[in-house]
Amino acid sequence: MRTTRRVLVSLLAVMSLAGPPSAFAKLLSLELRCPCTRPSREWQGHAAYVRCVKRNAPRYLRLEAQLDRMRGAPRRSRAELRAAARARVAEAMASRCGYESYRCDLRTRPCPPGEACDVRMCELTAGVCVPTPAACPTDGALRCTCVSEADPFGLTYANDCERLRAGAVLDVLRNPPFQTCEPSCGGPDRLACALPRTCAYPWGACSTLTQHGRCVEAREACPGPVCGCDGITYATECDADRAGVLIAHGGTCGTQCGGPPSFACPPGLECLKEWGTCEQPDTWGVCRDVACLPLGEVCGCDGQLYPRPCDAIRAGTQVRGFPVDGECPRP
């Protein structure tokens, strides 16, 4: 029985380390096994939450310790694991989890002044109101937050206290022992990476003032060509990095248009974007020789009716869609 359990644990650990969080990795998360909030299910009380943690903490902590050992962490003794389990139970008993009066939602139910809504999974908006920390320690485990339009990689905080002070949603599957959270860089605070790591930004993030990147090891291979945010084509991604230029998209400049830099197309080509993206000015398009296909009348993003899609594009707008009862909605 013990051998079978070891094999199962090893299998789960390997699968949880092999890329994006899997269903197996979720089974190993105590925060997902005993969630503080269940917005899609019947609300569970504080006593039920504590019972869940008390019943599952020892087993889940043992599994987490095995994952940590596979990452090179030192072995934890049984006494340390028992102490950690007792600490988890004490933390659950002292928490506000399960009390309806402390429930919050990022969309519809804000917390009172001086408190933050602690949400602990990217797909959720419901959480528990907790006092906003006045100060935080300098140590602790890195905490990853969920991705957003401003931070396509999420953001890394030194510990959970810093994350709560920022009011950020915790990504429970991007934290040890599941997937290591790489430090953030760039952004409004211009965070720097410790050498020899470099700051990698997602393609299309054409402003270091708003976008955060991730500190990564130096790349061995550099794809290319790439189009920089300055509108210049670089032979490789590394050449753009050396020039201090972020990458707008792969391929040569002039093949794509729009996006955050508002790239224009070369003479003779028009910028074609997906229909219905009128309210998304940063959408990327493709530079093409517009063909006037007989698709019938269409509505432009400017609210005007055009005989064909190409007529709307040549008028300097994009296509919202087909008219309804011969009418176009006003922008």
Side-chain angles (χ1 to χ4, degrees), residues 197-239:
R197 293 195 169 197
T198 60
C199 192
Y201 291 90
W203 288 9
C206 287
S207 174
T208 57
L209 298 179
T210 58
Q211 302 281 4
H212 281 101
R214 276 279 188 258
C215 294
V216 298
E217 301 292 341
R219 290 182 292 268
E220 295 182 359
C222 289
V226 295
C227 178
C229 289
D230 56 359
I232 297 175
T233 299
Y234 293 87
T236 67
E237 186 176 349
C238 293
D239 293 326

mmCIF file of all heavy atoms in Angstrom, residues 197-239:
data_model
loop_
_atom_site.group_PDB
_atom_site.id
_atom_site.type_symbol
_atom_site.label_atom_id
_atom_site.label_comp_id
_atom_site.label_asym_id
_atom_site.label_seq_id
_atom_site.Cartn_x
_atom_site.Cartn_y
_atom_site.Cartn_z
ATOM 1 N N ARG A 197 19.849 37.404 -15.134
ATOM 2 C CA ARG A 197 18.524 37.323 -15.743
ATOM 3 C C ARG A 197 18.176 38.611 -16.477
ATOM 4 O O ARG A 197 18.672 39.690 -16.152
ATOM 5 C CB ARG A 197 17.469 37.016 -14.686
ATOM 6 C CG ARG A 197 17.604 35.629 -14.079
ATOM 7 C CD ARG A 197 16.371 35.243 -13.329
ATOM 8 N NE ARG A 197 16.370 33.837 -12.957
ATOM 9 C CZ ARG A 197 15.295 33.176 -12.581
ATOM 10 N NH1 ARG A 197 14.137 33.783 -12.517
ATOM 11 N NH2 ARG A 197 15.369 31.898 -12.265
ATOM 12 N N THR A 198 17.288 38.463 -17.458
ATOM 13 C CA THR A 198 16.826 39.613 -18.226
ATOM 14 C C THR A 198 15.304 39.691 -18.151
ATOM 15 O O THR A 198 14.635 38.726 -17.804
ATOM 16 C CB THR A 198 17.256 39.498 -19.702
ATOM 17 O OG1 THR A 198 16.683 38.303 -20.263
ATOM 18 C CG2 THR A 198 18.761 39.449 -19.833
ATOM 19 N N CYS A 199 14.791 40.851 -18.488
ATOM 20 C CA CYS A 199 13.345 41.088 -18.417
ATOM 21 C C CYS A 199 12.702 40.748 -19.754
ATOM 22 O O CYS A 199 13.056 41.328 -20.786
ATOM 23 C CB CYS A 199 13.066 42.544 -18.056
ATOM 24 S SG CYS A 199 11.345 42.866 -17.607
ATOM 25 N N ALA A 200 11.787 39.788 -19.743
ATOM 26 C CA ALA A 200 11.088 39.379 -20.970
ATOM 27 C C ALA A 200 9.663 39.906 -20.931
ATOM 28 O O ALA A 200 8.930 39.675 -19.966
ATOM 29 C CB ALA A 200 11.087 37.863 -21.101
ATOM 30 N N TYR A 201 9.279 40.618 -21.979
ATOM 31 C CA TYR A 201 7.933 41.163 -22.085
ATOM 32 C C TYR A 201 7.141 40.360 -23.115
ATOM 33 O O TYR A 201 7.715 39.818 -24.061
ATOM 34 C CB TYR A 201 7.973 42.626 -22.543
ATOM 35 C CG TYR A 201 8.530 43.579 -21.528
ATOM 36 C CD1 TYR A 201 9.899 43.855 -21.488
ATOM 37 C CD2 TYR A 201 7.706 44.204 -20.607
ATOM 38 C CE1 TYR A 201 10.427 44.738 -20.558
ATOM 39 C CE2 TYR A 201 8.222 45.094 -19.676
ATOM 40 C CZ TYR A 201 9.578 45.359 -19.659
ATOM 41 O OH TYR A 201 10.098 46.226 -18.742
ATOM 42 N N PRO A 202 5.830 40.303 -22.974
ATOM 43 C CA PRO A 202 5.033 39.647 -24.013
ATOM 44 C C PRO A 202 5.041 40.481 -25.279
ATOM 45 O O PRO A 202 5.116 41.712 -25.225
ATOM 46 C CB PRO A 202 3.630 39.594 -23.389
ATOM 47 C CG PRO A 202 3.600 40.743 -22.445
ATOM 48 C CD PRO A 202 4.989 40.851 -21.898
ATOM 49 N N TRP A 203 5.007 39.820 -26.402
ATOM 50 C CA TRP A 203 4.941 40.549 -27.666
ATOM 51 C C TRP A 203 3.657 41.367 -27.719
ATOM 52 O O TRP A 203 2.597 40.922 -27.295
ATOM 53 C CB TRP A 203 4.995 39.575 -28.838
ATOM 54 C CG TRP A 203 6.350 38.959 -29.028
ATOM 55 C CD1 TRP A 203 7.422 39.067 -28.180
ATOM 56 C CD2 TRP A 203 6.784 38.140 -30.106
ATOM 57 N NE1 TRP A 203 8.491 38.367 -28.669
ATOM 58 C CE2 TRP A 203 8.133 37.777 -29.846
ATOM 59 C CE3 TRP A 203 6.176 37.673 -31.258
ATOM 60 C CZ2 TRP A 203 8.864 36.988 -30.713
ATOM 61 C CZ3 TRP A 203 6.906 36.871 -32.126
ATOM 62 C CH2 TRP A 203 8.234 36.536 -31.860
ATOM 63 N N GLY A 204 3.773 42.569 -28.245
ATOM 64 C CA GLY A 204 2.612 43.450 -28.329
ATOM 65 C C GLY A 204 2.513 44.395 -27.153
ATOM 66 O O GLY A 204 1.656 45.273 -27.136
ATOM 67 N N ALA A 205 3.374 44.239 -26.132
ATOM 68 C CA ALA A 205 3.373 45.130 -24.970
ATOM 69 C C ALA A 205 4.325 46.281 -25.277
ATOM 70 O O ALA A 205 5.512 46.209 -25.000
ATOM 71 C CB ALA A 205 3.813 44.373 -23.727
ATOM 72 N N CYS A 206 3.794 47.319 -25.861
ATOM 73 C CA CYS A 206 4.661 48.384 -26.368
ATOM 74 C C CYS A 206 4.774 49.567 -25.419
ATOM 75 O O CYS A 206 4.826 50.706 -25.851
ATOM 76 C CB CYS A 206 4.169 48.841 -27.734
ATOM 77 S SG CYS A 206 4.499 47.637 -29.042
ATOM 78 N N SER A 207 4.795 49.327 -24.106
ATOM 79 C CA SER A 207 5.025 50.410 -23.161
ATOM 80 C C SER A 207 5.528 49.847 -21.854
ATOM 81 O O SER A 207 4.813 49.141 -21.156
ATOM 82 C CB SER A 207 3.741 51.213 -22.920
ATOM 83 O OG SER A 207 3.944 52.161 -21.897
ATOM 84 N N THR A 208 6.759 50.168 -21.497
ATOM 85 C CA THR A 208 7.294 49.707 -20.213
ATOM 86 C C THR A 208 6.650 50.443 -19.056
ATOM 87 O O THR A 208 6.848 50.076 -17.901
ATOM 88 C CB THR A 208 8.815 49.931 -20.157
ATOM 89 O OG1 THR A 208 9.088 51.327 -20.390
ATOM 90 C CG2 THR A 208 9.533 49.100 -21.187
ATOM 91 N N LEU A 209 5.887 51.487 -19.315
ATOM 92 C CA LEU A 209 5.245 52.234 -18.239
ATOM 93 C C LEU A 209 3.993 51.527 -17.733
ATOM 94 O O LEU A 209 3.534 51.799 -16.623
ATOM 95 C CB LEU A 209 4.869 53.645 -18.731
ATOM 96 C CG LEU A 209 6.045 54.530 -19.151
ATOM 97 C CD1 LEU A 209 5.527 55.876 -19.639
ATOM 98 C CD2 LEU A 209 7.008 54.724 -18.001
ATOM 99 N N THR A 210 3.422 50.645 -18.509
ATOM 100 C CA THR A 210 2.186 49.980 -18.101
ATOM 101 C C THR A 210 2.321 48.472 -18.010
ATOM 102 O O THR A 210 1.542 47.834 -17.311
ATOM 103 C CB THR A 210 1.049 50.302 -19.085
ATOM 104 O OG1 THR A 210 1.428 49.879 -20.399
ATOM 105 C CG2 THR A 210 0.756 51.792 -19.106
ATOM 106 N N GLN A 211 3.283 47.878 -18.687
ATOM 107 C CA GLN A 211 3.381 46.427 -18.749
ATOM 108 C C GLN A 211 4.448 45.898 -17.801
ATOM 109 O O GLN A 211 5.510 46.503 -17.644
ATOM 110 C CB GLN A 211 3.717 45.967 -20.177
ATOM 111 C CG GLN A 211 2.720 46.419 -21.223
ATOM 112 C CD GLN A 211 1.464 45.573 -21.236
ATOM 113 O OE1 GLN A 211 1.305 44.692 -20.416
ATOM 114 N NE2 GLN A 211 0.585 45.834 -22.174
ATOM 115 N N HIS A 212 4.154 44.770 -17.182
ATOM 116 C CA HIS A 212 5.156 44.057 -16.396
ATOM 117 C C HIS A 212 5.671 42.876 -17.207
ATOM 118 O O HIS A 212 4.924 42.243 -17.943
ATOM 119 C CB HIS A 212 4.572 43.546 -15.077
ATOM 120 C CG HIS A 212 4.476 44.607 -14.033
ATOM 121 N ND1 HIS A 212 3.300 45.251 -13.742
ATOM 122 C CD2 HIS A 212 5.409 45.136 -13.212
ATOM 123 C CE1 HIS A 212 3.515 46.140 -12.776
ATOM 124 N NE2 HIS A 212 4.767 46.094 -12.443
ATOM 125 N N GLY A 213 6.935 42.570 -17.046
ATOM 126 C CA GLY A 213 7.522 41.394 -17.663
ATOM 127 C C GLY A 213 7.908 40.384 -16.597
ATOM 128 O O GLY A 213 7.551 40.522 -15.428
ATOM 129 N N ARG A 214 8.636 39.349 -17.019
ATOM 130 C CA ARG A 214 9.115 38.317 -16.115
ATOM 131 C C ARG A 214 10.635 38.205 -16.234
ATOM 132 O O ARG A 214 11.187 38.269 -17.335
ATOM 133 C CB ARG A 214 8.471 36.962 -16.445
ATOM 134 C CG ARG A 214 7.113 36.768 -15.830
ATOM 135 C CD ARG A 214 7.229 36.352 -14.381
ATOM 136 N NE ARG A 214 5.932 35.992 -13.839
ATOM 137 C CZ ARG A 214 5.208 36.781 -13.063
ATOM 138 N NH1 ARG A 214 5.624 37.979 -12.760
ATOM 139 N NH2 ARG A 214 4.054 36.358 -12.582
ATOM 140 N N CYS A 215 11.298 38.039 -15.096
ATOM 141 C CA CYS A 215 12.744 37.823 -15.100
ATOM 142 C C CYS A 215 13.022 36.387 -15.530
ATOM 143 O O CYS A 215 12.558 35.445 -14.889
ATOM 144 C CB CYS A 215 13.322 38.083 -13.715
ATOM 145 S SG CYS A 215 13.203 39.816 -13.190
ATOM 146 N N VAL A 216 13.765 36.222 -16.619
ATOM 147 C CA VAL A 216 14.019 34.893 -17.165
ATOM 148 C C VAL A 216 15.511 34.718 -17.405
ATOM 149 O O VAL A 216 16.277 35.691 -17.445
ATOM 150 C CB VAL A 216 13.260 34.680 -18.489
ATOM 151 C CG1 VAL A 216 11.760 34.779 -18.273
ATOM 152 C CG2 VAL A 216 13.704 35.691 -19.548
ATOM 153 N N GLU A 217 15.918 33.466 -17.561
ATOM 154 C CA GLU A 217 17.304 33.178 -17.909
ATOM 155 C C GLU A 217 17.588 33.676 -19.329
ATOM 156 O O GLU A 217 16.680 33.781 -20.158
ATOM 157 C CB GLU A 217 17.569 31.673 -17.822
ATOM 158 C CG GLU A 217 17.317 31.075 -16.448
ATOM 159 C CD GLU A 217 18.312 31.544 -15.407
ATOM 160 O OE1 GLU A 217 19.398 32.034 -15.809
ATOM 161 O OE2 GLU A 217 18.003 31.433 -14.203
ATOM 162 N N ALA A 218 18.842 33.973 -19.590
ATOM 163 C CA ALA A 218 19.218 34.440 -20.919
ATOM 164 C C ALA A 218 18.839 33.402 -21.967
ATOM 165 O O ALA A 218 19.048 32.209 -21.776
ATOM 166 C CB ALA A 218 20.712 34.727 -20.976
ATOM 167 N N ARG A 219 18.258 33.854 -23.064
ATOM 168 C CA ARG A 219 17.794 32.942 -24.112
ATOM 169 C C ARG A 219 18.970 32.365 -24.903
ATOM 170 O O ARG A 219 19.914 33.071 -25.224
ATOM 171 C CB ARG A 219 16.840 33.676 -25.059
ATOM 172 C CG ARG A 219 15.500 34.010 -24.440
ATOM 173 C CD ARG A 219 14.618 34.687 -25.462
ATOM 174 N NE ARG A 219 15.121 36.012 -25.794
ATOM 175 C CZ ARG A 219 14.752 37.129 -25.179
ATOM 176 N NH1 ARG A 219 13.880 37.059 -24.194
ATOM 177 N NH2 ARG A 219 15.239 38.302 -25.513
ATOM 178 N N GLU A 220 18.862 31.085 -25.208
ATOM 179 C CA GLU A 220 19.887 30.441 -26.031
ATOM 180 C C GLU A 220 19.615 30.654 -27.522
ATOM 181 O O GLU A 220 20.530 30.727 -28.320
ATOM 182 C CB GLU A 220 19.929 28.942 -25.726
ATOM 183 C CG GLU A 220 20.369 28.617 -24.306
ATOM 184 C CD GLU A 220 20.447 27.127 -24.071
ATOM 185 O OE1 GLU A 220 20.136 26.367 -25.023
ATOM 186 O OE2 GLU A 220 20.808 26.711 -22.952
ATOM 187 N N ALA A 221 18.323 30.729 -27.883
ATOM 188 C CA ALA A 221 17.960 30.934 -29.289
ATOM 189 C C ALA A 221 17.091 32.175 -29.398
ATOM 190 O O ALA A 221 16.275 32.452 -28.519
ATOM 191 C CB ALA A 221 17.202 29.718 -29.830
ATOM 192 N N CYS A 222 17.285 32.922 -30.448
ATOM 193 C CA CYS A 222 16.535 34.161 -30.674
ATOM 194 C C CYS A 222 15.777 34.052 -31.991
ATOM 195 O O CYS A 222 16.385 34.059 -33.063
ATOM 196 C CB CYS A 222 17.472 35.359 -30.710
ATOM 197 S SG CYS A 222 18.175 35.774 -29.108
ATOM 198 N N PRO A 223 14.443 33.962 -31.931
ATOM 199 C CA PRO A 223 13.676 33.886 -33.171
ATOM 200 C C PRO A 223 13.705 35.211 -33.915
ATOM 201 O O PRO A 223 13.951 36.272 -33.340
ATOM 202 C CB PRO A 223 12.262 33.541 -32.685
ATOM 203 C CG PRO A 223 12.209 34.059 -31.285
ATOM 204 C CD PRO A 223 13.594 33.893 -30.735
ATOM 205 N N GLY A 224 13.447 35.154 -35.178
ATOM 206 C CA GLY A 224 13.428 36.365 -35.987
ATOM 207 C C GLY A 224 12.957 36.042 -37.398
ATOM 208 O O GLY A 224 12.843 34.873 -37.773
ATOM 209 N N PRO A 225 12.661 37.030 -38.189
ATOM 210 C CA PRO A 225 12.704 38.454 -37.829
ATOM 211 C C PRO A 225 11.525 38.855 -36.946
ATOM 212 O O PRO A 225 10.551 38.129 -36.850
ATOM 213 C CB PRO A 225 12.644 39.144 -39.195
ATOM 214 C CG PRO A 225 11.839 38.192 -40.032
ATOM 215 C CD PRO A 225 12.244 36.813 -39.579
ATOM 216 N N VAL A 226 11.658 40.028 -36.307
ATOM 217 C CA VAL A 226 10.593 40.554 -35.468
ATOM 218 C C VAL A 226 10.418 42.033 -35.767
ATOM 219 O O VAL A 226 11.354 42.705 -36.228
ATOM 220 C CB VAL A 226 10.891 40.357 -33.968
ATOM 221 C CG1 VAL A 226 10.935 38.884 -33.603
ATOM 222 C CG2 VAL A 226 12.186 41.048 -33.563
ATOM 223 N N CYS A 227 9.223 42.518 -35.474
ATOM 224 C CA CYS A 227 8.930 43.937 -35.668
ATOM 225 C C CYS A 227 8.939 44.617 -34.308
ATOM 226 O O CYS A 227 8.187 44.240 -33.409
ATOM 227 C CB CYS A 227 7.576 44.114 -36.337
ATOM 228 S SG CYS A 227 7.094 45.848 -36.580
ATOM 229 N N GLY A 228 9.803 45.595 -34.129
ATOM 230 C CA GLY A 228 9.885 46.311 -32.869
ATOM 231 C C GLY A 228 8.774 47.321 -32.703
ATOM 232 O O GLY A 228 8.118 47.732 -33.672
ATOM 233 N N CYS A 229 8.572 47.742 -31.465
ATOM 234 C CA CYS A 229 7.542 48.747 -31.186
ATOM 235 C C CYS A 229 7.894 50.110 -31.770
ATOM 236 O O CYS A 229 7.062 51.018 -31.760
ATOM 237 C CB CYS A 229 7.323 48.863 -29.680
ATOM 238 S SG CYS A 229 6.496 47.436 -28.935
ATOM 239 N N ASP A 230 9.130 50.253 -32.252
ATOM 240 C CA ASP A 230 9.525 51.490 -32.921
ATOM 241 C C ASP A 230 9.246 51.456 -34.417
ATOM 242 O O ASP A 230 9.599 52.394 -35.141
ATOM 243 C CB ASP A 230 11.014 51.770 -32.674
ATOM 244 C CG ASP A 230 11.909 50.610 -33.118
ATOM 245 O OD1 ASP A 230 11.370 49.585 -33.593
ATOM 246 O OD2 ASP A 230 13.143 50.715 -32.973
ATOM 247 N N GLY A 231 8.621 50.339 -34.880
ATOM 248 C CA GLY A 231 8.294 50.237 -36.290
ATOM 249 C C GLY A 231 9.436 49.783 -37.167
ATOM 250 O O GLY A 231 9.340 49.833 -38.398
ATOM 251 N N ILE A 232 10.531 49.320 -36.582
ATOM 252 C CA ILE A 232 11.705 48.863 -37.331
ATOM 253 C C ILE A 232 11.793 47.340 -37.244
ATOM 254 O O ILE A 232 11.551 46.756 -36.181
ATOM 255 C CB ILE A 232 13.001 49.495 -36.777
ATOM 256 C CG1 ILE A 232 12.946 51.021 -36.945
ATOM 257 C CG2 ILE A 232 14.236 48.922 -37.469
ATOM 258 C CD1 ILE A 232 14.119 51.741 -36.321
ATOM 259 N N THR A 233 12.136 46.694 -38.355
ATOM 260 C CA THR A 233 12.308 45.244 -38.391
ATOM 261 C C THR A 233 13.702 44.875 -37.910
ATOM 262 O O THR A 233 14.704 45.451 -38.372
ATOM 263 C CB THR A 233 12.093 44.708 -39.813
ATOM 264 O OG1 THR A 233 10.756 45.016 -40.243
ATOM 265 C CG2 THR A 233 12.281 43.194 -39.850
ATOM 266 N N TYR A 234 13.768 43.909 -36.969
ATOM 267 C CA TYR A 234 15.041 43.433 -36.441
ATOM 268 C C TYR A 234 15.237 41.981 -36.864
ATOM 269 O O TYR A 234 14.271 41.209 -36.951
ATOM 270 C CB TYR A 234 15.074 43.551 -34.917
ATOM 271 C CG TYR A 234 15.078 44.981 -34.430
ATOM 272 C CD1 TYR A 234 13.885 45.668 -34.240
ATOM 273 C CD2 TYR A 234 16.274 45.645 -34.189
ATOM 274 C CE1 TYR A 234 13.889 46.984 -33.808
ATOM 275 C CE2 TYR A 234 16.293 46.970 -33.756
ATOM 276 C CZ TYR A 234 15.091 47.631 -33.568
ATOM 277 O OH TYR A 234 15.098 48.935 -33.154
ATOM 278 N N ALA A 235 16.495 41.639 -37.104
ATOM 279 C CA ALA A 235 16.798 40.296 -37.601
ATOM 280 C C ALA A 235 16.389 39.228 -36.596
ATOM 281 O O ALA A 235 15.876 38.176 -36.963
ATOM 282 C CB ALA A 235 18.280 40.171 -37.931
ATOM 283 N N THR A 236 16.613 39.485 -35.304
ATOM 284 C CA THR A 236 16.255 38.525 -34.261
ATOM 285 C C THR A 236 15.685 39.270 -33.060
ATOM 286 O O THR A 236 15.833 40.498 -32.918
ATOM 287 C CB THR A 236 17.465 37.693 -33.797
ATOM 288 O OG1 THR A 236 18.389 38.549 -33.127
ATOM 289 C CG2 THR A 236 18.132 36.989 -34.966
ATOM 290 N N GLU A 237 15.076 38.516 -32.165
ATOM 291 C CA GLU A 237 14.557 39.080 -30.923
ATOM 292 C C GLU A 237 15.681 39.648 -30.069
ATOM 293 O O GLU A 237 15.524 40.672 -29.402
ATOM 294 C CB GLU A 237 13.784 37.996 -30.155
ATOM 295 C CG GLU A 237 13.074 38.492 -28.915
ATOM 296 C CD GLU A 237 12.252 37.401 -28.257
ATOM 297 O OE1 GLU A 237 12.072 36.330 -28.883
ATOM 298 O OE2 GLU A 237 11.796 37.614 -27.121
ATOM 299 N N CYS A 238 16.852 38.999 -30.105
ATOM 300 C CA CYS A 238 17.996 39.476 -29.332
ATOM 301 C C CYS A 238 18.484 40.824 -29.841
ATOM 302 O O CYS A 238 18.921 41.676 -29.054
ATOM 303 C CB CYS A 238 19.133 38.458 -29.373
ATOM 304 S SG CYS A 238 18.753 36.916 -28.505
ATOM 305 N N ASP A 239 18.427 41.045 -31.143
ATOM 306 C CA ASP A 239 18.838 42.342 -31.687
ATOM 307 C C ASP A 239 17.929 43.450 -31.180
ATOM 308 O O ASP A 239 18.389 44.552 -30.866
ATOM 309 C CB ASP A 239 18.819 42.295 -33.224
ATOM 310 C CG ASP A 239 19.885 41.373 -33.791
ATOM 311 O OD1 ASP A 239 20.972 41.291 -33.181
ATOM 312 O OD2 ASP A 239 19.627 40.724 -34.817
#
